[in-house]
Amino acid sequence: MRPPPSPSDRPSRLALFARRQKHLLRPLAGLIVLGALGGAAYLYLQLPGAKEQLAPIRDRLLNKAPLRITALKIDGAQLTSEEAIRNAVGVKVGDPVLNFSVSDARDRLNALPFVDHVTVERHLSGEIDVHITERPPFAVWQHNGHFELIDRQGNKVPDQGMTGKDAEAFTKLPLVVGDGANAPAATLLDALALEPEVRSRMVAAVRVSNRRWNLTLKDGATVLLPEGEEVPAIHRLAKLHATTRLLDRPVVLIDMRLPDRLTIREKPPEPQPDASKPEADAPAAAGAHPGKPAAAPSGQPHSSAPATGSPQ
């Protein structure tokens, strides 16, 4: 018969707890080891040149990865070329999916001209979806000798120098001129859009002292609009043109600054030739150029006085 164990042979509470939780200690130890390895790898990557040394290994692993980009879908772009978008995305069909950074592509796309914001999605199927929301230009703003595109809020819209096929489209945008003309332009241009007879004759809207507007028409006439009452004045001008064809008349100035008075300055009549006036005398000497003194005979001094005598 085995003798009973002595109290000194009984395991401690800590030993009993470790024995009971033995199945949990092994995974915990594994996590500690993995954490230590991860920390060491992170510290190694912070060393100068470490990323360059690991780049070949990373590329080989990515090239062997089974997940590839299968399609790149783009929608919402009207002013931004597809080539520019694909270059900003930075990948093409067949590249490893794991090598594609959504955040980096989004930053590059947001930096493109006319782009307000973008949405980039990466799917496990290998499809990359890019949705572009653009900020189209609303008008061209001329100030300090420069031309800039602006949106409806008057904010500058970045461009690429307005060259190529986009330049032709931008020439059709309305032109606003002067300091401070960008901010209130939308209200004026919206009113002009409702009156196509006036809008079609306008070349530019000029901001005067950042208080009111003048309209420059294609025939050279100027329409002075009242301060703060530009919209009703434009509608009144359209009604006047509908009844009197005012904008087709030879005027140089239409002053609408006073609400109860309309001042029109017409072009001066062109001078008519006088049929009763005799024609100018012919040159005094044969071979003389009209309007210049005739040449003196050989051996005589030249004179700046015109030659006299009857016409030939």
Side-chain angles (χ1 to χ4, degrees):
M1 184 176 181
R2 181 181 300 178
S6 64
S8 60
D9 296 335
R10 184 175 299 176
S12 64
R13 293 183 178 181
L14 180 60
L16 290 174
F17 176 79
R19 186 179 301 173
R20 292 171 183 173
Q21 305 298 329
K22 185 177 181 180
H23 64 286
L24 296 178
L25 292 178
R26 290 180 179 177
L28 180 61
L31 291 177
I32 294 175
V33 173
L34 289 177
L37 292 176
Y42 175 79
L43 293 176
Y44 173 74
L45 290 176
Q46 305 308 312
L47 297 177
K51 293 182 179 180
E52 288 76 9
Q53 294 175 0
L54 294 176
I57 301 176
R58 181 199 61 188
D59 294 340
R60 283 196 297 268
L61 292 175
L62 290 175
N63 289 331
K64 293 180 180 180
L67 298 179
R68 300 279 178 172
I69 295 177
T70 58
L72 177 60
K73 293 187 177 180
I74 302 170
D75 66 281
Q78 299 294 329
L79 299 172
T80 309
S81 67
E82 182 176 342
E83 181 182 1
I85 295 174
R86 290 184 178 274
N87 291 336
V89 172
V91 292
K92 59 184 181 299
V93 174
D95 289 347
V97 172
L98 299 178
N99 203 26
F100 174 69
S101 172
V102 172
S103 59
D104 291 347
R106 186 187 303 115
D107 293 341
R108 291 191 296 267
L109 288 167
N110 280 325
L112 291 176
F114 313 123
V115 173
D116 186 76
H117 61 275
V118 299
T119 301
V120 181
E121 297 178 351
R122 178 180 60 185
H123 301 280
L124 292 178
S125 62
E127 180 178 302
I128 305 296
D129 292 340
V130 178
H131 178 73
I132 304 284
T133 301
E134 293 178 325
R135 185 177 59 202
F138 180 70
V140 179
W141 177 29
Q142 178 186 354
H143 69 114
N144 298 328
H146 300 284
F147 292 88
E148 295 179 321
L149 298 175
I150 57 174
D151 59 14
R152 288 188 61 88
Q153 289 72 38
N155 301 317
K156 298 177 184 178
V157 177
D159 61 82
Q160 293 175 330
M162 291 190 292
T163 58
K165 65 177 182 180
D166 292 335
E168 182 178 354
F170 297 152
T171 58
K172 300 178 182 179
L173 294 174
L175 175 65
V176 295
V177 183
D179 293 338
N182 56 320
T187 302
L188 179 75
L189 296 178
D190 286 344
L192 287 167
L194 297 176
E195 304 295 351
E197 288 291 338
V198 180
R199 174 66 183 88
S200 63
R201 289 167 171 79
M202 188 195 77
V203 174
V206 182
R207 189 71 172 168
V208 181
S209 301
N210 204 13
R211 295 185 300 104
R212 62 174 192 84
W213 292 97
N214 285 349
L215 302 181
T216 302
L217 306 184
K218 292 180 180 179
D219 60 358
T222 302
V223 181
L224 280 62
L225 299 177
E227 179 181 353
E229 299 293 330
E230 294 89 354
V231 174
I234 290 173
H235 298 324
R236 183 158 61 102
L237 179 63
K239 291 180 180 180
L240 287 171
H241 174 72
T243 56
T244 65
R245 309 306 298 175
L246 175 61
L247 299 179
D248 293 335
R249 293 166 53 182
V251 299
V252 295
L253 184 70
I254 302 175
D255 192 345
M256 305 183 70
R257 290 178 293 178
L258 298 178
D260 57 346
R261 184 181 305 174
L262 179 68
T263 303
I264 300 174
R265 185 188 305 166
E266 295 189 351
K267 295 179 181 179
E270 296 181 359
Q272 300 295 328
D274 190 354
S276 62
K277 185 177 180 180
E279 295 182 358
D281 293 339
H289 191 280
K292 293 185 179 180
S298 177
Q300 299 294 328
H302 292 275
S303 173
S304 60
T308 59
S310 59
Q312 298 296 320

